[in-house]
Amino acid sequence: MKKEKKLSNIVQKKLFWQRFVLNFSITWFGLFLLNTSISTSLDIKQRIENKESFTKLKLSNIINLILFYYLFNVSLKLRKQEPDVLLRKPSAAKSVLDDLRYFYDKEEDDDIYSSLKPKDIENLCKKIDFSPLSYSEQYAILQGLIVTAHNNPVVAKILKSNLLPSTLRIDDSLLVGGQLVHGEKIIKKGHILIQDHLDITAVAHELFHTKQCMDGAFLPKELRSYASVMNEAQAKALNLILAVTPNHTDYFIEYKSEINNWVEQIQNLQLFEVQKENLPLSRRAKIGKAQERTMGIIMKCLIEGDEGLREQIAQSLCKNQLSKWDLGEMHFTVANWRDYYIKAGYEIQEEKLKKILPSLSKELKLIPLLNEYYSEETGIPQSLEAVKIDSSKPSALYEYLNTNKQKTK
């Protein structure tokens, strides 16, 4: 049976070929380095025996020795950046792991939405390198994630997913809560920077980005402006969901600068709908599904620049249950977010895309896969072309796809 094509399969295929090429390069250059070293050693030995000058050593051997040593080291360094090998043991200190406190519901099923267990934290610490942090920072972050995942099944699912192996560091000079630096042209290990180790929402936000990386959500290059907006919108939706969920812990500091009643209203409505569907799911799984749908609705609102259309989207997905005040809060949050994330450079990119879109056949083929991915992740139909860089008009991608659709009719 033919394997279904998904974004994550493309990522794994890219990783396979990166590993193959780098492993082949290391072996090739290593053998040549060994051969050149042996040849040079024999040359030196012969000159010692014949009492000849070393200035007449073969120049080609010396050049090859330097060249292959350099190439071997470069290949080795690149290979070490590959995100395919988990750490052999958890990166957090054993004393920290032993002191962590876990929380479970009595009738909790062991699935992707269940509360985190010691094995889940150990697996997380093999994907994410916590070693640059102090013991107190490790403890605060891990304990905060355990509590947050217990109160938010969607976070438990994220932390149990395939994450891009990354190193976590604290950088109090950051102007934002957190940042993930990862390879764009090749897939390599990431670096997560967090401004404050007590800001667990920022940690969860960046870890969510590492999931998106391995899922393939960052694959587009020329269409990166759209993918970036979608990925940030999804992660922002997670932030908003966490902001309305009580977290009973002394290890957690939440930064609330927005009014989020509208988010709570959407989440309650989605939970009611999930429960009404009577799906064969555990209580936590139903909450997780409701949180994912809430995430999907918020995403669609964040990527829509026109207030009127945004209201239509929100109300249609919430059965007209949002009040005037809910909608006002939503517009306030969306406007602030779009002012920050819809960058000026994206408008320049739009003009460029209008000219080059017909030549982006490979990237255009990713669009259905991206749309399917976001839709499956949130349970709400999503489309990359719906991203509005300019609030008053459709995107260059939307216009191109719509025009070509009309031509093929």
Side-chain angles (χ1 to χ4, degrees):
M1 189 170 72
K2 188 177 180 181
K3 192 175 183 180
E4 185 181 0
K5 190 172 184 181
K6 289 184 175 289
L7 288 176
S8 57
N9 296 339
I10 298 174
V11 171
Q12 292 305 317
K13 187 176 180 181
K14 282 179 174 287
L15 280 173
F16 170 81
W17 285 111
Q18 283 181 198
R19 287 194 294 268
F20 177 82
V21 170
L22 285 171
N23 286 338
F24 180 82
S25 299
I26 290 169
T27 304
W28 182 265
F29 294 134
L31 288 173
F32 268 86
L33 178 61
L34 179 62
N35 180 64
T36 306
S37 299
I38 292 172
S39 177
T40 304
S41 298
L42 291 174
D43 191 17
I44 291 172
K45 182 182 177 184
Q46 186 177 16
R47 290 184 180 281
I48 291 174
E49 290 174 352
N50 296 336
K51 297 181 180 180
E52 296 178 4
S53 171
F54 288 103
T55 58
K56 295 183 179 179
L57 278 171
K58 289 182 181 177
L59 183 61
S60 60
N61 277 353
I62 296 173
I63 293 173
N64 286 339
L65 197 63
I66 296 171
L67 176 63
F68 291 127
Y69 178 78
Y70 171 76
L71 293 173
F72 179 77
N73 272 293
V74 169
S75 299
L76 206 58
K77 285 178 181 178
L78 287 172
R79 184 67 186 88
K80 287 179 180 177
Q81 293 176 356
E82 287 289 287
D84 65 321
V85 180
L86 298 181
L87 297 170
R88 291 183 180 179
K89 61 180 183 178
S91 56
K94 187 177 184 302
S95 60
V96 171
L97 296 175
D98 290 343
D99 284 346
L100 294 173
R101 184 184 174 195
Y102 293 87
F103 306 85
Y104 310 105
D105 292 333
K106 288 183 179 178
E107 58 270 350
E108 193 172 307
D109 293 341
D110 189 10
D111 57 23
I112 57 173
Y113 295 105
S114 63
S115 299
L116 298 180
K117 298 176 175 60
K119 65 176 182 180
D120 298 315
I121 289 296
E122 286 185 8
N123 287 334
L124 176 65
C125 292
K126 288 180 181 179
K127 298 171 187 172
I128 307 300
D129 185 2
F130 289 86
S131 62
L133 309 182
S134 67
Y135 286 6
S136 61
E137 290 169 340
Q138 291 178 13
Y139 182 81
I141 290 175
L142 290 172
Q143 187 64 70
L145 288 174
I146 290 170
V147 173
T148 303
H150 177 67
N151 292 321
N152 298 274
V154 70
V155 175
K157 177 184 175 181
I158 290 169
L159 298 181
K160 294 177 186 179
S161 299
N162 189 18
L163 308 181
L164 178 75
S166 304
T167 301
L168 181 62
R169 290 185 172 86
I170 306 300
D171 182 356
D172 58 13
S173 67
L174 278 181
L175 298 178
V176 292
Q179 181 181 2
L180 170 65
V181 182
H182 60 97
E184 295 185 356
K185 294 185 178 179
I186 62 170
I187 302 166
K188 62 180 182 180
K189 288 182 180 178
H191 297 279
I192 298 173
L193 302 176
I194 299 297
Q195 186 186 59
D196 185 343
H197 70 283
L198 294 176
D199 187 358
I200 304 301
T201 296
V203 177
H205 179 107
E206 300 309 326
L207 290 176
F208 189 25
H209 281 322
T210 68
K211 176 185 184 300
Q212 292 171 330
C213 284
M214 294 306 284
D215 287 344
F218 284 96
L219 281 174
K221 300 295 187 298
E222 295 295 340
L223 300 178
R224 186 170 293 275
S225 54
Y226 300 122
S228 293
V229 171
M230 288 292 278
N231 294 332
E232 285 296 347
Q234 193 179 14
K236 173 63 176 179
L238 175 66
N239 285 29
L240 292 169
I241 289 169
L242 297 188
V244 300
T245 307
N247 283 279
H248 305 293
T249 172
D250 296 330
Y251 315 106
F252 192 84
I253 294 178
E254 183 62 70
Y255 302 109
K256 296 184 179 181
S257 58
E258 298 170 298
I259 306 170
N260 297 309
N261 295 332
W262 67 284
V263 177
E264 191 169 10
Q265 176 72 348
I266 292 175
Q267 184 167 273
N268 290 338
L269 290 168
Q270 294 311 304
L271 181 57
F272 176 76
E273 291 299 319
V274 172
Q275 291 172 334
K276 196 168 69 172
E277 290 169 10
N278 201 26
L279 299 170
L281 299 172
S282 66
R283 184 187 70 84
R284 284 186 61 85
K286 288 179 180 179
I287 295 172
K289 290 290 183 186
Q291 289 184 320
E292 287 169 359
R293 292 188 190 183
T294 302
M295 196 180 296
I297 293 170
I298 294 173
M299 279 178 70
K300 291 183 78 72
C301 294
L302 289 169
I303 66 174
E304 176 54 64
D306 183 276
E307 284 196 7
L309 292 175
R310 190 186 304 142
E311 286 192 16
Q312 290 178 27
I313 291 169
Q315 291 288 36
S316 66
L317 293 170
C318 294
K319 299 188 175 180
N320 295 311
Q321 295 295 307
L322 298 179
S323 69
K324 180 178 71 173
W325 299 109
D326 292 329
L327 295 172
E329 290 175 0
M330 176 187 72
H331 292 317
F332 175 77
T333 301
V334 172
N336 284 344
W337 182 84
R338 288 181 63 85
D339 283 346
Y340 184 83
Y341 278 103
I342 309 294
K343 300 177 172 50
Y346 288 179
E347 294 179 5
I348 299 171
Q349 182 74 358
E350 282 284 275
E351 294 304 314
K352 176 187 172 185
L353 283 172
K354 288 178 183 178
K355 300 174 183 176
I356 66 171
L357 271 169
S359 65
L360 302 179
S361 57
K362 287 185 178 180
E363 292 212 17
L364 290 171
K365 288 178 181 177
L366 289 175
I367 293 174
L369 297 177
L370 282 159
N371 292 345
E372 179 187 19
Y373 164 72
Y374 293 121
S375 301
E376 286 183 353
E377 284 288 300
T378 64
I380 301 293
Q382 306 286 347
S383 60
L384 199 70
E385 57 270 30
V387 172
K388 277 192 178 175
I389 304 301
D390 186 325
S391 61
S392 63
K393 61 183 180 182
S395 68
L397 179 61
Y398 175 89
E399 291 179 339
Y400 174 79
L401 294 177
N402 194 52
T403 300
N404 279 279
K405 187 177 180 181
Q406 294 297 328
K407 286 180 180 178
T408 56
K409 284 185 178 181

